[in-house]
Structures are given as C-alpha cells and as structure tokens.
Amino acid sequence: MKKFFEEFKNFAIKGNMIDLAIGIIIGTAFNKVVSALVSKVIMPPLSLMTDDVNLSNKKWVLRESGEKMEEVAIGYGELIESLVDFCIIAFTIFVMVKFINRFKEKSEDPANKEVETPKNIALLASVESLLKEQNEILRSKR
C-alpha cells in the first residue's frame, strides 16, 4: 500500500495531474465566459435582426400540457445556442493549438537561432550531422 501512495505522489508531483487540473479549471471558466458572451452579447442582436425571435425559447411541442400531463417538447433553440458556444470554443482552441505548434516547429529546428532549441533536439541534430559525415567518409574510401 505504501508503494501505491508513493507512485501516486510521484505522479501528482511530476505535474501531469496538476497540469490537467489547471486545464480543467481554465476550460470551465472559459466555457462560462463563452456562454455569457453567446447568451448576453451575440443572441440579443440576432434576436433583433429576426424580429425579436428569442432562440433560447424556441421548441417543437410534441404533446401539449394537460391537467395531469406535462408538456413534452424538443428545445431546439437551446441546441442552437450550445452549437454557437461549441463553435466559438472550438475555433479558439484551434487558434491556440496553431499558435503553439508554430513555436514548437521553430524550437525543433536546430538551425533556427531565433528560438532556443531544446537540448534533446540539438543532440539529435548533432548526431545526425555526425552520421552524415561518417557516411561521406565511408563512401569516399570505397
């Protein structure tokens, strides 16, 4: 049991779990911001452009409510708002990943002096150049 807790401690301290927790917290906060942006900023002008149609209240009624029955309806307006939320979040994540990948590509190029190359990439680049030199020497001896 002690080994199990030691492994868990190492896992948590290495940063994997901490990075994941930070990502979830930021993602949740970002989701709230985007939801507020859609419901309070984007949808009201859209409602004005569509003669005061409030999309969040739109639904298809499958069964009207009666004395002992509740209304059964499909709320497609909320689905539209959720899809707008999703599109904004997906686009933002796409832009961020594209931005991060640009710096990653620059840092993995050992010839690029603009960004500091990680040591493992620099080491692999030097091994590659040494292998090329060795192959040229071996070819010239034939």
Side-chain angles (χ1 to χ4, degrees):
M1 193 66 154
K2 185 177 181 182
K3 185 178 178 185
F4 175 78
F5 285 118
E6 187 68 29
E7 286 180 30
F8 179 74
K9 183 178 124 186
N10 289 338
F11 169 75
I13 292 175
K14 283 183 182 177
N16 298 339
M17 199 163 95
I18 295 170
D19 291 345
L20 183 65
I22 290 171
I24 290 171
I25 291 168
I26 290 173
T28 302
F30 184 68
N31 187 28
K32 288 181 181 180
V33 169
V34 171
S35 294
L37 176 74
V38 169
S39 66
K40 303 293 182 187
V41 177
I42 294 175
M43 288 303 180
L46 187 62
S47 176
L48 278 175
M49 291 187 327
T50 57
D51 294 327
D52 290 333
V53 173
N54 189 355
L55 284 178
S56 63
N57 296 335
K58 290 297 181 185
K59 59 186 173 185
W60 286 311
V61 178
L62 302 175
R63 180 177 71 194
E64 295 286 336
S65 61
E67 291 177 17
K68 296 181 181 181
M69 296 182 296
E70 291 185 16
E71 177 183 77
V72 177
I74 298 173
Y76 67 89
E78 291 179 31
L79 176 64
I80 292 172
E81 283 190 10
S82 295
L83 287 173
V84 172
D85 284 357
F86 173 78
C87 289
I88 291 172
I89 291 171
F91 178 74
T92 304
I93 290 172
F94 170 75
V95 170
M96 289 300 297
V97 168
K98 192 167 180 68
F99 181 74
I100 289 169
N101 283 342
R102 184 181 319 159
F103 283 110
K104 184 178 177 185
E105 288 171 3
K106 285 182 180 180
S107 70
E108 289 179 353
D109 182 13
N112 185 359
K113 301 299 178 194
E114 187 177 314
V115 178
E116 184 178 337
T117 304
K119 290 182 182 181
N120 59 348
I121 303 297
L123 179 63
L124 287 172
S126 66
V127 168
E128 180 184 27
S129 65
L130 289 172
L131 286 172
K132 284 180 182 178
E133 286 178 29
Q134 183 182 20
N135 286 336
E136 288 174 14
I137 292 170
L138 290 173
R139 283 188 196 127
S140 68
K141 287 185 177 181
R142 288 184 192 181

